[in-house]
Amino acid sequence: MANTNLNPSEVILSNSGYLKINGVELAELKNIEITMSPEVKSLAVMNSPSKAEIATGYTGNISFGINKVYSRFKPALLEAAKELRPFNFTLECVTYSADKNNQEAIYIDNCWFKGDIQLMALNAEGDFITETYEAGFGIESAEYTDILDDGNSW
């Protein structure tokens, strides 16, 4: 018979990420996806029916959700919008290896919000509000601060 007395803390891995503005942690990330998409140009290959593609630039995109606890950054974001000033933030995200001996972390500075920004939401008492956002970043502002050591030299 299988052992059904599993300790959840030994099974579930702790990953964490934070939204920081001016060095202050404002929200804990629920989920995140960070991508960079190439902008490509198609080129004809001399003496060939094939075409080649060359990257002319990259676009950084972030999709993330936060468990809303408070909205400290929203009044500042609203005031910046009223004056058509940019509102940038820093994103830090950490994930741990299965044995919890290594971690992988990324730091992205000068991110900006894209799309709609939810200024207010209400759920029934005891319900958590989850907000989702889209953001952009210049890939030169992203840096891995820790990487998982897989024993290979890349």
Side-chain angles (χ1 to χ4, degrees):
M1 184 170 171
N3 181 1
T4 58
N5 296 323
L6 294 176
N7 182 350
S9 66
E10 294 176 1
V11 177
I12 300 171
L13 302 178
S14 295
N15 294 319
S16 63
Y18 299 93
L19 173 69
K20 287 188 174 183
I21 298 175
N22 296 331
V24 178
E25 290 179 4
L26 295 178
E28 184 175 354
L29 296 171
K30 178 180 178 183
N31 53 49
I32 189 167
E33 182 176 317
I34 303 170
T35 60
M36 63 181 206
S37 305
E39 296 171 13
V40 296
K41 183 174 181 168
S42 201
L43 299 173
V45 177
M46 187 182 293
N47 298 326
S48 174
S50 300
K51 287 198 172 200
E53 290 184 338
I54 185 168
T56 59
Y58 287 87
T59 302
N61 294 299
I62 306 169
S63 298
F64 63 96
I66 61 173
N67 291 323
K68 184 177 173 188
V69 178
Y70 42 77
S71 300
R72 292 192 300 181
F73 71 96
K74 290 184 182 178
L77 188 138
L78 181 60
E79 289 306 311
K82 288 178 184 178
E83 298 173 11
L84 293 176
R85 286 186 290 116
F87 185 86
N88 293 347
F89 64 93
T90 299
L91 187 80
E92 293 183 26
C93 184
V94 178
T95 185
Y96 298 95
S97 63
D99 61 8
K100 296 185 183 180
N101 289 330
N102 285 305
Q103 69 182 24
E104 185 172 84
I106 193 164
Y107 172 92
I108 306 174
D109 197 16
N110 294 319
C111 301
W112 59 87
F113 287 105
K114 298 187 329 186
D116 295 336
I117 303 296
Q118 189 179 62
L119 294 178
M120 178 66 78
L122 179 67
N123 278 356
E125 189 174 332
D127 265 351
F128 287 105
I129 293 176
T130 300
E131 296 180 355
T132 57
Y133 295 98
E134 296 288 323
F137 67 96
I139 61 166
E140 62 278 358
S141 297
E143 179 181 340
Y144 279 98
T145 55
D146 285 308
I147 56 170
L148 294 174
D149 183 6
D150 63 0
N152 292 312
S153 176
W154 296 96

